Amino acid sequence: MDLITSAVVAAIEHGAPGHAPEAVASHYERLKLAIAKFDSAAAILAAIAALEAEPGNTQLQLALSAALSTANVPDDMETLFAAQGLLDALQRPPSPLPEVATAPAPADKSAVVSNYAVVKVYFATDRQRDVGKPPAQRFSGERNIMGGNGPLSYGSCDISIPRDHRMGQLESPSLWRLEFRDDPAKHVVLLSAEVQDRDNFFAALKTQIRASAGKSAFVFVHGYNVSFEDAARRTGQMAYDLGFDGAPVFYSWPSHGDLAGYTIDENNIEWSTPHITAFLADFLASTEAAQVYLVGHSMGSRGLARAVADLLAAQPQLAQKITELILSAPDIDAAIFKHDIAPKLAHARNPVTLYASSQDLALAASKAVHSYPRAGDSGAGMLIVAGVETIDATGVDTSFMKHSYFAEKRSALSDMFYLIRNQARADQRFLDPVDTAAGRYWTFKP
């Protein structure tokens, strides 16, 4: 029996669609939505409905499997991810009640509100804030130098994911479609941004992490030319697309969110790096997360890599709580990374994963400013360092978004799925090894 049919049968046995636990029911609905985009969706959904009426009928199970195969659904990675998420939800124990009265109960990230899902993400930021402004404008591109309790603000955001969301896309209003405002039914939208004090922030995080199957969390540090709003939206999109059941967190440093602001952003990531280091130390010490995945993109990788290197040197036992460090097209001087940063990262729990791509748009902006190679460059000068699994991601997406339909097994996001979900190293994923005089690196299978 194929993975999708197995997930459907198991969910029905657990009471889907009408009598299953909320998490199972919502993942079951997500799987149906993934199937609904196919031309043969009506026949497949009819086969599922027949199974719902007669759960134990083996012939109906085979009929569903045949319908899926005829429509090539098992070849679609988005549907496979949805099926895997459903199976994970079926294996997950019921969420315990919160132990801290002031902390909100963990939100089911796949909970569907009307015609869109809502994903709760958590944030820490050293941007200047104005609580009186709408969520999208609550944190500016300026540094927070006025904070009486230090530079950091904490809180959570609700992000809408439309029901017909396509994996890897960050749906936004389009003038070409005569869309002039955000619509949660069509777009990934920052619905709310609530500021919390530190204690309530970590209490809420601890509650959601404890409720997850692997007691897991990821922290995303965005790159250059990213606003607070877009960092929040992208974190929600990543959590949804990865089927991540832990706590999704992003650290938003004061990028100006302006293509012309590269040098300003470069100064600001340097200013923010000590704050990122302090936040990570606090996060690792305060959340009890057993699996912590750190993800940085372009210029954000610069602050994140240095923060982890500093933690490994100053607090090695605490830093061993970091499960994975993932750097996508890192905008770091290649020589500095190789000689100063990578040797410190070699003491990490697992090898660093580095996606190299000279086609990354943020890295292209860096090349216009710097005369020296970057750690995220691909091609002849691609960085191969001990303790780092370098993946040549040329020709695939390295920004965790695809602006066309999701390409099976060919984006940083899809590769991350197997790295995070299965704890699979490069030789266990959909990658081909390339051996050179400098060492081994990896490419995506064609």
Side-chain angles (χ1 to χ4, degrees):
M1 192 183 299
D2 63 272
L3 178 70
I4 300 169
T5 302
S6 297
V8 170
V9 171
I12 292 172
E13 288 175 349
H14 282 75
H19 303 287
E22 184 179 357
V24 172
S26 57
H27 278 278
Y28 187 67
E29 177 68 16
R30 184 191 297 186
L31 177 56
K32 284 186 174 181
L33 289 172
I35 291 170
K37 68 177 182 285
F38 289 90
D39 292 338
S40 304
I44 298 170
L45 293 174
I48 292 175
L51 255 182
E52 291 171 352
E54 297 184 56
N57 190 316
T58 305
Q59 292 303 314
L60 291 178
Q61 294 175 10
L62 293 173
L64 172 59
S65 185
L68 290 166
S69 179
T70 300
N72 295 320
V73 177
D75 294 332
D76 177 64
M77 193 59 67
E78 180 180 4
T79 311
L80 288 175
F81 284 4
Q84 184 64 62
L86 175 55
L87 288 171
D88 287 350
L90 286 163
Q91 296 170 4
R92 195 179 309 152
S95 299
L97 293 173
E99 295 182 15
V100 182
T102 55
D108 182 352
K109 294 182 291 298
S110 61
V112 176
V113 178
S114 181
N115 48 2
Y116 59 90
V118 176
V119 178
K120 181 174 287 294
V121 301
Y122 299 86
F123 68 84
T125 182
D126 50 9
R127 293 174 182 263
Q128 183 174 302
R129 66 168 170 151
D130 186 342
V131 178
K133 289 189 175 181
Q137 303 168 25
R138 192 145 297 166
F139 293 94
S140 73
E142 301 300 324
R143 302 176 182 180
N144 182 25
I145 56 176
M146 304 298 290
N149 297 318
L152 292 188
S153 298
Y154 306 90
S156 63
C157 301
D158 284 342
I159 310 297
S160 68
I161 308 291
R163 288 171 71 101
D164 63 350
H165 168 71
R166 294 296 180 259
M167 179 170 281
Q169 291 193 3
L170 195 70
E171 290 91 348
S172 303
S174 168
L175 293 178
W176 296 107
R177 295 192 296 268
L178 300 179
E179 296 172 344
F180 303 105
R181 64 182 63 185
D182 290 328
D183 181 352
K186 298 178 180 178
H187 311 130
V188 178
V189 180
L190 171 58
L191 300 173
S192 66
E194 302 299 330
V195 176
Q196 299 171 287
D197 62 38
R198 178 201 169 278
D199 290 345
N200 280 335
F201 169 78
F202 279 112
L205 267 181
K206 286 172 69 173
T207 300
Q208 182 153 330
I209 289 169
R210 286 172 179 168
S212 67
K215 293 183 169 47
S216 59
F218 78 73
V219 179
F220 173 55
V221 182
H222 62 78
Y224 138 80
N225 185 30
V226 176
S227 66
F228 175 88
E229 177 188 14
D230 283 343
R233 294 171 62 232
R234 193 169 303 184
T235 305
Q237 170 239 318
M238 287 172 58
Y240 188 91
D241 287 348
L242 289 170
F244 191 74
D245 80 329
V249 183
F250 68 99
Y251 187 101
S252 188
W253 53 277
S255 165
H256 267 218
D258 184 351
L259 281 170
Y262 183 90
T263 55
I264 298 173
D265 280 9
E266 191 164 47
N267 286 326
N268 281 348
I269 191 62
E270 295 295 331
W271 176 82
S272 291
T273 297
H275 309 152
I276 297 173
T277 306
F279 171 71
L280 287 179
D282 200 10
F283 178 90
L284 294 170
S286 302
T287 61
E288 303 174 6
Q291 306 292 336
V292 178
Y293 306 93
L294 304 181
V295 184
H297 177 237
S298 74
M299 197 179 284
S301 294
R302 192 184 309 184
L304 181 60
R306 288 176 174 168
V308 174
D310 288 346
L311 281 175
L312 282 164
Q315 302 183 65
Q317 187 171 357
L318 186 65
Q320 288 302 313
K321 293 185 176 183
I322 299 169
T323 309
E324 300 286 348
L325 173 60
I326 302 167
L327 307 176
S328 188
D331 182 6
I332 308 171
D333 182 280
I336 291 175
F337 183 83
K338 182 175 183 178
H339 298 294
D340 297 343
I341 299 176
K344 297 176 182 176
L345 298 179
H347 301 291
R349 182 166 149 189
N350 284 311
V352 175
T353 297
L354 189 156
Y355 296 103
S357 174
S358 296
Q359 296 177 350
D360 184 270
L361 294 178
L363 206 58
S366 174
K367 290 182 180 179
V369 176
H370 301 104
S371 301
Y372 296 98
R374 315 310 288 166
D377 287 344
S378 57
M382 186 161 55
L383 205 61
I384 301 175
V385 186
V388 177
E389 293 183 340
T390 300
I391 300 165
D392 184 355
T394 301
V396 307
D397 184 70
T398 48
S399 65
F400 311 116
M401 299 187 306
K402 287 293 288 183
H403 296 287
S404 58
Y405 187 73
F406 182 73
E408 181 180 350
K409 304 186 186 73
R410 288 186 57 81
S411 77
L413 187 64
S414 64
D415 190 59
M416 276 173 54
F417 176 86
Y418 295 102
L419 174 59
I420 292 174
R421 176 79 59 162
N422 301 333
Q423 306 290 305
R425 300 256 51 93
D427 60 352
Q428 300 168 317
R429 306 199 300 273
F430 296 96
L431 302 169
D432 284 328
V434 179
D435 291 313
T436 70
R440 171 173 287 188
Y441 69 92
W442 303 84
T443 62
F444 283 80
K445 287 183 181 290

mmCIF file of all heavy atoms in Angstrom, residues 31 114 169 176 214 227 229 397 403:
data_model
loop_
_atom_site.group_PDB
_atom_site.id
_atom_site.type_symbol
_atom_site.label_atom_id
_atom_site.label_comp_id
_atom_site.label_asym_id
_atom_site.label_seq_id
_atom_site.Cartn_x
_atom_site.Cartn_y
_atom_site.Cartn_z
ATOM 1 N N LEU A 31 -4.383 16.950 3.565
ATOM 2 C CA LEU A 31 -4.072 15.965 2.531
ATOM 3 C C LEU A 31 -5.111 16.014 1.414
ATOM 4 O O LEU A 31 -4.771 15.965 0.220
ATOM 5 C CB LEU A 31 -4.009 14.568 3.157
ATOM 6 C CG LEU A 31 -3.761 13.398 2.186
ATOM 7 C CD1 LEU A 31 -2.485 13.607 1.386
ATOM 8 C CD2 LEU A 31 -3.712 12.081 2.950
ATOM 9 N N SER A 114 -12.035 28.947 8.399
ATOM 10 C CA SER A 114 -12.719 29.245 7.153
ATOM 11 C C SER A 114 -11.928 28.640 6.001
ATOM 12 O O SER A 114 -11.707 27.449 5.952
ATOM 13 C CB SER A 114 -12.883 30.764 7.003
ATOM 14 O OG SER A 114 -13.570 31.082 5.820
ATOM 15 N N GLN A 169 5.692 28.473 -2.127
ATOM 16 C CA GLN A 169 5.295 29.802 -2.569
ATOM 17 C C GLN A 169 4.940 30.682 -1.379
ATOM 18 O O GLN A 169 4.427 30.211 -0.367
ATOM 19 C CB GLN A 169 4.112 29.714 -3.523
ATOM 20 C CG GLN A 169 4.468 29.099 -4.869
ATOM 21 C CD GLN A 169 3.387 29.292 -5.905
ATOM 22 O OE1 GLN A 169 2.376 29.933 -5.652
ATOM 23 N NE2 GLN A 169 3.586 28.731 -7.085
ATOM 24 N N TRP A 176 -1.177 42.177 -11.449
ATOM 25 C CA TRP A 176 -1.575 41.508 -12.685
ATOM 26 C C TRP A 176 -2.895 40.774 -12.509
ATOM 27 O O TRP A 176 -3.639 40.587 -13.476
ATOM 28 C CB TRP A 176 -0.486 40.521 -13.118
ATOM 29 C CG TRP A 176 0.805 41.196 -13.466
ATOM 30 C CD1 TRP A 176 1.954 41.209 -12.742
ATOM 31 C CD2 TRP A 176 1.067 41.986 -14.636
ATOM 32 N NE1 TRP A 176 2.923 41.952 -13.372
ATOM 33 C CE2 TRP A 176 2.408 42.442 -14.544
ATOM 34 C CE3 TRP A 176 0.315 42.345 -15.756
ATOM 35 C CZ2 TRP A 176 2.996 43.232 -15.522
ATOM 36 C CZ3 TRP A 176 0.907 43.143 -16.731
ATOM 37 C CH2 TRP A 176 2.229 43.580 -16.608
ATOM 38 N N GLY A 214 8.729 15.517 18.820
ATOM 39 C CA GLY A 214 10.165 15.438 19.072
ATOM 40 C C GLY A 214 10.688 16.493 20.004
ATOM 41 O O GLY A 214 11.898 16.671 20.113
ATOM 42 N N SER A 227 11.840 42.649 5.454
ATOM 43 C CA SER A 227 11.137 43.373 6.508
ATOM 44 C C SER A 227 10.710 42.411 7.609
ATOM 45 O O SER A 227 10.727 41.185 7.422
ATOM 46 C CB SER A 227 9.901 44.074 5.935
ATOM 47 O OG SER A 227 8.958 43.102 5.486
ATOM 48 N N GLU A 229 7.690 41.992 8.563
ATOM 49 C CA GLU A 229 6.497 41.336 8.039
ATOM 50 C C GLU A 229 6.855 40.140 7.168
ATOM 51 O O GLU A 229 6.303 39.045 7.329
ATOM 52 C CB GLU A 229 5.668 42.333 7.226
ATOM 53 C CG GLU A 229 4.430 41.719 6.574
ATOM 54 C CD GLU A 229 3.715 42.662 5.626
ATOM 55 O OE1 GLU A 229 4.308 43.703 5.260
ATOM 56 O OE2 GLU A 229 2.571 42.346 5.249
ATOM 57 N N ASP A 397 16.182 26.422 -5.758
ATOM 58 C CA ASP A 397 15.852 27.548 -4.889
ATOM 59 C C ASP A 397 16.581 27.453 -3.559
ATOM 60 O O ASP A 397 16.592 26.400 -2.924
ATOM 61 C CB ASP A 397 14.346 27.591 -4.650
ATOM 62 C CG ASP A 397 13.935 28.793 -3.829
ATOM 63 O OD1 ASP A 397 14.020 29.910 -4.363
ATOM 64 O OD2 ASP A 397 13.559 28.617 -2.658
ATOM 65 N N HIS A 403 9.105 30.278 -6.696
ATOM 66 C CA HIS A 403 8.131 31.180 -7.298
ATOM 67 C C HIS A 403 7.393 30.506 -8.457
ATOM 68 O O HIS A 403 6.565 31.116 -9.095
ATOM 69 C CB HIS A 403 8.823 32.467 -7.749
ATOM 70 C CG HIS A 403 9.378 33.233 -6.594
ATOM 71 N ND1 HIS A 403 8.585 33.921 -5.703
ATOM 72 C CD2 HIS A 403 10.645 33.376 -6.143
ATOM 73 C CE1 HIS A 403 9.338 34.487 -4.772
ATOM 74 N NE2 HIS A 403 10.585 34.168 -5.008
#
